[in-house]
Amino acid sequence: EKLESVTIRFCGDSGDGMQLTGTQFTTTSALVGNDISTYPTFPAEIRAPQGTLAGVSGFQIHFSSNDIHTAGDELDVLVAMNPAAFKTNIKDLKQNGILIVNQDSFNAGNLKKAGYKEDEDIFAKWRSRIRIYEVPISKMTMEALKDIDMMARDKERCKNMFALGLMYFIYNRPLENTEKWLESKFGKKKLVLDANVAALKAGYHFGDTCEMFQNTYEIPKASIKPGTYRNITGNQALSIGLLTAGQLTNLPLFLGSYPITPATEILQEIAAYKNYKARTFQAEDEIAGIGSALGAAFAGSLAITTTSGPGIALKSEFMNLAIMAELPLIIVDVQRGGPSTGLPTKTEQTDLLQVMFGRNGESPIPVVSASSPSDCFYTALEAARIAIEHMTPVVILSDTQSAIGSEPWLLPDIETLPKIKFKFHTNADTYKPYDRNDMLARPWALPGTPGCEHTLGGLEKENISGKVNLSAEAHEEMVRIRAKKVENIAKTIPATQVYGEQSGDILFLGWGSTYGAIRSATEELLKRGYKVGQAHIRHINPMPNDLGNIASRFKHVVIPELNTGQFNMIFRAKYLIDTKPINQVNTKPFNVSDLVKRAEEIIGGKA
Amino acid sequence: EKLESVTIRFCGDSGDGMQLTGTQFTTTSALVGNDISTYPTFPAEIRAPQGTLAGVSGFQIHFSSNDIHTAGDELDVLVAMNPAAFKTNIKDLKQNGILIVNQDSFNAGNLKKAGYKEDEDIFAKWRSRIRIYEVPISKMTMEALKDIDMMARDKERCKNMFALGLMYFIYNRPLENTEKWLESKFGKKKLVLDANVAALKAGYHFGDTCEMFQNTYEIPKASIKPGTYRNITGNQALSIGLLTAGQLTNLPLFLGSYPITPATEILQEIAAYKNYKARTFQAEDEIAGIGSALGAAFAGSLAITTTSGPGIALKSEFMNLAIMAELPLIIVDVQRGGPSTGLPTKTEQTDLLQVMFGRNGESPIPVVSASSPSDCFYTALEAARIAIEHMTPVVILSDTQSAIGSEPWLLPDIETLPKIKFKFHTNADTYKPYDRNDMLARPWALPGTPGCEHTLGGLEKENISGKVNLSAEAHEEMVRIRAKKVENIAKTIPATQVYGEQSGDILFLGWGSTYGAIRSATEELLKRGYKVGQAHIRHINPMPNDLGNIASRFKHVVIPELNTGQFNMIFRAKYLIDTKPINQVNTKPFNVSDLVKRAEEIIGGKA
Amino acid sequence: MNTSVQELTKKDFIPEGDVKWCPGCGDYSILSSVQTVLPTLGIPKEDFVFISGIGCSSRFPYYMATYGFHTIHGRAATVASGVKMTNPKLSVWMVTGDGDGLSIGGNHTMHIIRRNMDVKILLFNNRIYGLTKGQYSPTSEKGKVTKTSLMGTIERPINPMSFALASGATFVARTTAANPKHMQEVLRAAADHKGTAFVEILQNCNIFNDGAFAKYLNKETKDTENLFLETGKPLLYNNDTMGIKLEGGTNPRLVSVENSGDSSEFLVHDPHAEDSIMPYLIGQLGVDQEGLPTAMGVLRAVVKPSYDELLHEQEAESIAKRGSGDIKKLIYSGELWTVGAGDPVNMDA
Amino acid sequence: MNTSVQELTKKDFIPEGDVKWCPGCGDYSILSSVQTVLPTLGIPKEDFVFISGIGCSSRFPYYMATYGFHTIHGRAATVASGVKMTNPKLSVWMVTGDGDGLSIGGNHTMHIIRRNMDVKILLFNNRIYGLTKGQYSPTSEKGKVTKTSLMGTIERPINPMSFALASGATFVARTTAANPKHMQEVLRAAADHKGTAFVEILQNCNIFNDGAFAKYLNKETKDTENLFLETGKPLLYNNDTMGIKLEGGTNPRLVSVENSGDSSEFLVHDPHAEDSIMPYLIGQLGVDQEGLPTAMGVLRAVVKPSYDELLHEQEAESIAKRGSGDIKKLIYSGELWTVGAGDPVNMDA
Ligand SMILES: Cc1ncc(C[n+]2csc(CCOP(=O)(O)OP(=O)(O)O)c2C)c(N)n1
Ligand SMILES: Cc1ncc(C[n+]2csc(CCOP(=O)(O)OP(=O)(O)O)c2C)c(N)n1
Ligand code: SF4
Ligand code: SF4
Ligand SMILES: [Mg+2]
Ligand SMILES: [Mg+2]
């Protein structure tokens, strides 16, 4: 049977290796030519006791013969390795969806841990609605490995490979890629390697031989842009982007940071590139992270600090100093659920107003955002360009969804990467600390340069000379210059592309990781014959100058955000357009179907 | 000669006692029945070297036979005790204004310190424009004290009293009040007392006998509301307001704070009231200031933290925790010039967006603002009411102008003070940490209460039980409840009063210390026959529900702010009204005349 | 509901709901010991307050059936101080980690100790950031390889004992989660101390830093690595076969020597000494000075007035002197004048 | 413009524009001493960077004709660290106050010292908040009456020397602004030290805390209150008539005794000792232990690799091992596949 696209979620105990299973299914699917998009779900606890609800970990894969943009709304298939996983994930399975469970783990003990009665028939109320396959995954794995000389519990740990093999069978995927990967991973540990391969094959053959699965499925190749790809998460792409910026500018990279979920990985990624002159400094707190980065910028590094929501509060005072000192500095905020400690592992777009306005005084700062995992790479390059060419701190807004989600990245050819133009000021005779170029950027002269000695600081100053000056005239002028300097950036950004209709009923206006869901909704609505366009912006401050004009070509401007309407407020205030916000703050990315539904209501005048 | 109102500024070296001189002239003027308003100007330095520009300190008094609302635009009289004071203040003196200088201090040395040439005739270009009186104040003071056995330099320090006496003569004010005050101050130090009194009288008689001042002036009594008055600054009024709230609720006061200009005085004021069970804690930093206050709120104090712009950045993370914990906490932000360290002694309204939005996640917080020095008292009471009755942190926005400016305060009669309704929850059987009343406030149960043990925290929770819960449902519900809880406050605030016309050409919509200037401008415009009204709000979040309706009754909604349009943005986004902002960010309060001019342009369609 | 103090048992301090630390985490043993000690203190259950920052260790309050506050990262000391200053009769406990209390929160730790606020501080030292999955902490040994130090750390660890002593700590102790009996003695001593009690608890993170404290437990090494402190007793260890003395008169150094039997030569442990010199010395044993055993137990315990105590004394004194609060006095003070039918009158007149 | 190192004079470090401290402020003398010492160090003018926080003391960089950064309150250490890690050849100096460096900034002070970042820290200790006009600071003596402590403070001051030593300081010294000669010697020693050099400079705030250090200056008391440290010399003072020794063998205490002439009984100052025990002892003299003189000079000076040094060593090692940066390698790594006319191909194949 041929299918267009399928969404599978593997879930089980943190210890069950679901992330790994998911990743394997992903690369294999990529290799057979499907387009893919994935999204993992982690427990907030490190390792909650085995079998408990708090310990459930999952990995979702959407693969298709079309070009896709999200990890999928509802699940076609749910693989649940224990009762806790079943309980926490079953509601996402669609009508008539396939549920595959590891029968062996649905015992009294695990049922109790998941909060069921020991003898409860937990599938009862589902049988009518979905197709349930109870597979003795553990037993059959043990069986398959009976000849391998290994401790029982180690054998049992191969059950995820059995499950993977089974899914490979059902969706007609080759085993080679995973076999190759297992070799590279366990090459030395022969026994472990054999055990995993055996389990993988056993799963595959089980599907083949047993009667359970009447039909298997074909998901044809997608027509994908030719080129070289790798599967990448947003945190990886952002790290590579920053490292690339360092290489392009020939500047040493300095990352001052303090660990915090979900931004920590960026620090860990970049720490592996000391040979790229990438210096990572695990500071004592967020303040020291940005403070050290600002010092590094003063001394000539491409300076970065990374954090997540709660960390921004602590960085705000230094962000303001960076604005006054007019030094290049990249502040990365990987947004997570808030307020306060909130929901550290969940996604949200609720830090926009904080990074725009969370500082005392009039303190304009450029803000750019990433619309997908691979887009984090280009966002990083653009942030570096703005920071250095315009001598200003810049905020990058990413979020949990982009950061830990993954997608295939069509690798750019190096020559086409954007250039970043700048040079240090070294001429003592012409040096004035707050002199201005045509974009109002001031010169960057490094300590160690003879004759360019100067003192920076957070007190108000006078233009050109940079001398401390608290007069009415100086303050008025500097407030104006700092604002204009940021506005000028809009002159350097490309025209906004509108996907779909260029005028009509609805313009979807979005930013950040909602891109995929909005794009899919737009495609669906166009299919249904609506006059819909999508403008998705990278630059939030300054906004592209053409937005007002574009918006004016549509009857409704619809602004979907995973917050209560933050960008919406800024846009409304600026253009006085009665926008239609679509807001959701419930730990989850948008469902494409919800967006489509709301759009139809709006067009139909029901909203 | 009779005059309606006069604006005088005394200025000189930090050491010259100008603040004191100004305060004396103020109380005396109040006692003769004038309405008054004052505003001091301090140097950013503690004691810059004597005679330098950085060391100039000033005190401005506006006194009148009418009811006035500002410290005055231009100066009628400038008293400059040295060249530096002359140089930094002369531009504020109006055409034909009176300049009185201490001739003796205009010597080569002081001229140089002020950056003039030693032999420069610095009055040359002014003679035609203003009336200049060069009085040998120092010499004549020495002369007057020649019989007093005192060191020369101590005698010379009495010159400010001579200047004061002279002004008393010119404006026909009695010496008694100041004499009485000198006695109370120097009673024990007989010599000092005599010297000051002698200088005061000498100044007075000099005016009387010399030919210099042809005419003196009468400023008749203003028709002032009967009652008991005291002259008060905003920081004092705010402190008394908080202390009063403690008394009204019978709660111990806890103020956790870290010194910062211009908020420090509040900490110092309240520190003097230990017998009011007011506990002040000078913390190691702003974070510890608010953290200790939050702990105090948990344990049952009326908890407060005070700071200024840069300190808010450091408090944001805890403000968010307070929002999650739903505990009563008052955060006072006395705004100063920014960004960063900025202009610590200057006034500005640029922290509004920071306190509204400067936190990660969706974190709504009530914000109230004070419109004048004495209004700080009522603002404090209202903040306490909201915090306690609605169980929420509340931000008070004051600013340098209200904080250090002063005006007569018609003292309230104690019985009329607002009541604050609350009681602690002590019934173990009915206790649920996140239970709700009709306003959505949760119960306040203190550690030490048997059976009400509970754990608060910053992780998302479920309603009613307050148990940690990171589910989609719990988060969605709590985000909605936290927002609704703040909106509900609008139901408890009085209808917005519009001064002047209730409909017409222009509605001035303002908040904070711009009140006085806007009121004066409104009065002037009404005099000139324009249909103008003024709505000045205390509640910024939530806004009064009637604002949209009021705004709709006017052709133009004009929003004057000492920022680049912060409240304006929020208001426009909410009501989609094409407001006309008037913005100024130049260290100075609004000039009434500027507001009048801009309003006329707007009505005339020129803006 | 309201059990009388006498009847309190461990069970009263165990809330419903499961504990979510990793199986095998050292935190479990600390939790159990605290729940064992509290009912023996003669303090009503409702008077206990547990305040923490953020970290695995800081989840502690959720697992106690007392009042609790899981605050923000590194700031527990500030909240605990506010609680104690408001209501000194409460028994306030602060739970923190090596990252929470010494990295981001180091400054608050120093100041709460300096003020001698009457709060019991339990610092769970696992020498790693657990909750964020394994980065080095300020107590990680130099050269440690972690996710953020792939070539090994290049910073020297802080010794929590020295840090607390230099901050003026009146009570300082070290114990280990692996030794519940010793831990409970120390916890009891801390509870009995009036003022800040700073307790470092060595705790194994079996997921990200397993075996960090193995040398204190292994059969082969434990006798030579542990030095258990006893008040008034000489510093002996390895079953009293070895001892610690100060050598080299004018330029003294700590050395370990055989115990000839006459132990008069060895340093005697005096936690009550006015100055903090000996505790500072003893706290460095083993940790900063290789080859010597690590001191376990109470290093210092001296009595000084606590901040909250002094605060309320000043308040009482002020009330005695000036009488208690009075709104009318408060508002109607300073230079007043009345405006009536006639002229304004200065009220002071 | 670019004067060669040899020709540098004090004048080269004096910028135009007036200094705005209060007349009589101790800061003037520190400024002058620093400007006197710098030209003698053989370092090019453009390589000096002065970084401060906020406070009267922190205005310092504006009054130096070098590179400077007047940052934010309490955070100078973080900015200084970033500068030094980026360009280790710079001579980085941090200027802070008792409030800036020990109140709000205490944590960063601890960590920069722990890391042994090669930064010279000058802490101007006037035992008061000057810029905010006179509130008590963490070094204010207990009981001090200030604008925020009308009945006297109720917290015990921190001893900057003990704090720095407990943080693992490799160089610790105390001097006073009132003694330029001594101050300049100490500054020179600090400049020559590789690693964090922590210098406490006692500085009089004649406006808000005048006479705080009078006892070290008054004719009558200075001999008995100052103990000037000299490497390898016994701890003698009061013109060598008195000395410090450690008494009471098994339970040692510091005592001051008459110098009989044979000074062999007295403690000998050894700033180079591996452990920080003696410096910790000496740092407490006078300050924490009444009746004894206060030690002035270099308490500790030991050589350890600095953080910036190790950071760049690891970088060099990594480059040697893995070759330097290469964009192509960077981007085209991990599991790659190509989509072309035909089937996707796994590039690792
Ligand atoms: C402001 C802020 N910064 C960073 C974090 C992320 N974070 C949470 S716990 C932690 C460190 C925990 O280490 P430790 O205090 O030793 O506790 P442990 O988990 O080891 O018990 C960090 C960095 C946070 N939650 N908040
Ligand atoms: C974030 C922040 N908090 C508070 C202040 C106010 N402030 C400026 S300097 C200072 C203390 C200065 O004391 P110290 O460091 O001893 O310097 P000194 O003036 O005594 O030399 C304070 C509280 C500030 N500028 N920024
Ligand atoms: S990560 Fe480590 S410290 Fe945290 S719960 Fe697991 S074992 Fe315990
Ligand atoms: S206030 Fe004190 S420290 Fe500040 S400049 Fe004046 S004298 Fe110096
Ligand atoms: Mg830890
Ligand atoms: Mg100071």
Side-chain angles (χ1 to χ4, degrees), chain C residues 102-107 110-111 113-116 136-140 142 151-159 162-163 165-170 246 249-254 263-270 273-278 280-281 284 289 300 304-308 310-311 313-315 317-318 321, chain D residues 102-107 110-111 113-116 136-140 142 151-159 162-163 165-170 246 249-254 263-270 273-278 280-281 284 289 300 304-308 310-311 313-315 317-318 321:
Chain C
L102 291 172
S103 188
I104 189 170
N107 201 41
M110 181 248 283
H111 287 284
I113 289 173
R114 183 172 70 81
R115 295 183 182 118
N116 199 33
Y136 62 94
S137 90
T139 57
S140 297
K142 191 172 177 208
M151 296 176 75
T153 65
I154 55 177
E155 52 187 59
R156 299 162 308 151
I158 187 94
N159 179 338
S162 308
F163 181 70
L165 288 164
S167 303
T170 53
L246 208 51
T250 64
N251 193 347
R253 300 272 166 276
L254 282 174
S263 55
S264 63
E265 54 180 331
F266 299 109
L267 290 171
V268 171
H269 182 47
D270 174 13
E274 179 60 23
D275 62 58
S276 67
I277 289 163
M278 289 305 297
Y280 183 82
L281 240 92
Q284 298 203 337
Q289 299 184 25
R300 183 168 205 231
K304 302 236 179 273
S306 71
Y307 189 99
D308 43 298
L310 295 171
L311 180 72
E313 275 173 20
Q314 287 193 338
E315 180 171 297
E317 186 187 333
S318 168
K321 275 219 200 75
Chain D
L102 291 172
S103 186
I104 189 169
N107 201 40
M110 182 248 284
H111 287 284
I113 290 173
R114 183 171 70 81
R115 296 184 181 115
N116 200 33
Y136 62 94
S137 90
T139 56
S140 297
K142 191 174 179 209
M151 296 175 75
T153 64
I154 55 179
E155 51 187 59
R156 299 161 309 150
I158 186 95
N159 179 337
S162 307
F163 181 71
L165 289 163
S167 304
T170 52
L246 206 52
T250 65
N251 193 347
R253 300 272 166 275
L254 282 174
S263 55
S264 62
E265 54 180 329
F266 298 110
L267 289 172
V268 172
H269 182 47
D270 174 13
E274 179 59 23
D275 62 58
S276 66
I277 290 165
M278 289 306 297
Y280 183 82
L281 239 96
Q284 299 203 336
Q289 299 184 28
R300 183 168 205 231
K304 301 239 180 267
S306 71
Y307 190 100
D308 42 299
L310 295 171
L311 180 72
E313 273 173 21
Q314 287 193 338
E315 181 170 297
E317 187 187 333
S318 169
K321 274 221 201 74

Side-chain angles (χ1 to χ4, degrees), chain B residues 45-46 258 268 282 284, chain D residues 59 73 103 131 135-136 148:
Chain B
E45 319 303 327
I46 305 299
Y258 187 67
Q268 292 171 174
Q282 182 180 309
E284 57 269 31
Chain D
R59 293 287 179 93
H73 195 34
S103 186
L131 192 66
Q135 303 79 22
Y136 62 94
T148 49

Side-chain angles (χ1 to χ4, degrees), chain A residues 286-287 290-291 294 305 311-331 353-366 391-395 434 442 456-461 475 478-479 482-483 485-486 541, chain B residues 260 308-314 316 333 335-343 348 350-355 358 566, chain D residues 54 69-73 75 79:
Chain A
E286 281 81 358
I287 297 172
I290 187 173
L294 186 60
T305 190
I312 290 291
L314 292 166
K315 295 184 188 290
S316 303
E317 193 187 0
F318 256 126
M319 286 165 72
N320 241 353
L321 180 61
I323 287 169
M324 283 297 243
E326 301 189 33
L327 284 168
L329 173 63
I330 298 173
I331 299 111
L353 295 177
Q354 176 183 28
V355 298
M356 284 288 293
F357 304 120
R359 297 167 300 280
N360 66 298
E362 292 295 346
S363 56
I365 193 168
M391 286 294 281
T392 176
V394 176
V395 174
Y434 278 71
R442 70 176 194 88
L456 298 174
L459 287 166
E460 189 55 285
K461 46 188 66 57
H475 188 40
M478 291 305 285
V479 167
R482 285 186 290 261
K485 187 178 147 181
V486 172
N541 194 35
Chain B
I260 182 167
S308 178
I312 290 291
L314 292 166
S316 302
D333 176 6
Q335 301 168 95
R336 68 186 212 185
S340 196
T341 307
L343 307 94
E348 213 160 271
T350 48
D351 291 353
L352 174 56
L353 295 177
Q354 176 185 27
V355 299
Q566 298 195 358
Chain D
I54 300 287
F69 206 156
H70 177 233
T71 68
I72 54 178
H73 195 34
R75 319 301 177 183
V79 176

Side-chain angles (χ1 to χ4, degrees), chain A residues 147-453:
Chain A
D147 304 340
I148 298 180
D149 165 19
M150 202 183 211
M151 290 200 317
R153 55 184 287 278
D154 292 339
K155 289 182 179 177
E156 208 269 345
R157 297 183 71 256
C158 296
K159 62 178 182 301
N160 60 329
M161 283 298 129
F162 185 98
L164 180 61
L166 178 55
M167 297 314 289
Y168 277 164
F169 167 78
I170 298 176
Y171 292 100
N172 266 306
R173 318 251 98 210
L175 306 184
E176 290 69 25
N177 178 59
T178 297
E179 286 172 333
K180 220 182 281 105
W181 177 80
L182 287 167
E183 270 157 37
S184 67
K185 182 145 186 270
F186 299 120
K188 288 154 220 56
K189 311 210 196 76
K190 185 86 180 57
L191 274 183
V192 186
L193 172 60
D194 296 347
N196 278 284
V197 174
L200 180 70
K201 291 188 165 149
Y204 192 92
H205 296 132
F206 168 78
D208 204 352
T209 50
C210 86
E211 303 306 295
M212 266 187 183
F213 305 93
Q214 298 82 347
N215 44 7
T216 69
Y217 306 92
E218 269 303 331
I219 291 82
K221 270 203 240 120
S223 55
I224 295 172
K225 197 142 175 282
T228 302
Y229 288 81
R230 71 187 275 193
N231 192 48
I232 197 140
T233 68
N235 277 344
Q236 288 168 336
L238 192 56
S239 307
I240 295 173
L242 294 169
L243 286 159
T244 301
Q247 295 295 306
L248 292 171
T249 52
N250 235 310
L251 293 173
L253 215 65
F254 182 92
L255 170 56
S257 183
Y258 187 68
I260 183 167
T261 307
T264 311
E265 282 148 2
I266 301 171
L267 171 62
Q268 293 171 175
E269 276 285 329
I270 294 180
Y273 289 90
K274 283 180 180 292
N275 56 325
Y276 281 64
K277 290 187 178 299
R279 294 141 194 181
T280 55
F281 176 63
Q282 182 181 309
E284 57 269 30
D285 64 11
E286 281 81 358
I287 297 172
I290 187 173
S292 58
L294 186 60
F298 182 40
S301 290
L302 172 51
I304 306 146
T305 190
T306 52
T307 192
S308 178
I312 290 291
L314 292 166
K315 295 184 188 290
S316 303
E317 193 187 0
F318 256 126
M319 286 165 72
N320 241 353
L321 180 61
I323 287 169
M324 283 297 243
E326 301 189 33
L327 284 168
L329 173 63
I330 298 173
I331 299 111
V332 178
D333 176 5
V334 184
Q335 302 167 94
R336 69 185 212 184
S340 194
T341 307
L343 308 93
T345 57
K346 309 294 188 185
T347 197
E348 215 160 85
Q349 295 184 295
T350 48
D351 291 353
L352 174 55
L353 295 177
Q354 176 183 28
V355 298
M356 284 288 293
F357 304 120
R359 297 167 300 280
N360 66 298
E362 292 295 346
S363 56
I365 193 168
V367 179
V368 294
S369 60
S371 56
S372 78
S374 64
D375 188 55
C376 287
F377 173 82
Y378 301 99
T379 307
L381 289 182
E382 174 63 354
R385 180 192 71 81
I386 293 173
I388 294 172
E389 292 185 358
H390 297 264
M391 286 294 281
T392 176
V394 176
V395 174
I396 293 179
L397 281 178
S398 177
D399 61 26
T400 306
Q401 191 185 345
S402 288
I404 67 177
S406 81
E407 67 182 359
W409 174 29
L410 172 56
L411 302 181
D413 111 27
I414 309 304
E415 286 54 50
T416 66
L417 293 173
K419 303 272 162 290
I420 296 177
K421 297 180 249 34
F422 82 102
K423 63 183 192 2
F424 294 118
H425 189 106
T426 53
N427 180 340
D429 308 330
T430 62
Y431 184 65
K432 300 198 195 58
Y434 278 71
D435 205 353
R436 304 285 169 184
N437 69 10
D438 57 343
M439 282 286 161
L440 295 181
R442 70 176 194 88
W444 194 5
L446 307 185
T449 312
C452 294
E453 290 83 0

